[in-house]
Amino acid sequence: MSSAISYLTGGFLVSLLVSLNMTWHQRLPGLLGPVLIAVCLAGLVACRIYTAKNQPHWQDPREV
């Protein structure tokens, strides 16, 4: 499952970079660029929250 999240995170990151590049060079019409950027950022944040929530929490035995 962690590899799937890694691929999703990478996909959202690449999509974000492509959207930023196309918006910067004004190849996306109207509000499509900012909407795509917002969707990509939301996807990145969702992947990050998911990994932070489901990451195993290791307890140091010396702290018990």
Side-chain angles (χ1 to χ4, degrees):
M1 185 68 176
S2 64
S3 63
I5 294 298
S6 296
Y7 282 116
L8 275 174
T9 304
F12 280 120
L13 184 60
V14 169
S15 299
L16 176 65
L17 293 175
V18 169
S19 299
L20 283 171
N21 187 25
M22 291 182 74
T23 302
W24 183 262
H25 292 290
Q26 297 176 351
R27 293 192 179 133
L28 293 176
L31 291 176
L32 185 61
V35 168
L36 285 176
I37 291 170
V39 167
C40 294
L41 283 174
L44 276 173
V45 169
C47 287
R48 181 62 188 123
I49 289 171
Y50 179 82
T51 56
K53 187 183 290 188
N54 291 333
Q55 187 176 14
H57 298 288
W58 297 100
Q59 204 172 28
D60 192 1
R62 293 173 286 176
E63 293 180 2
V64 175

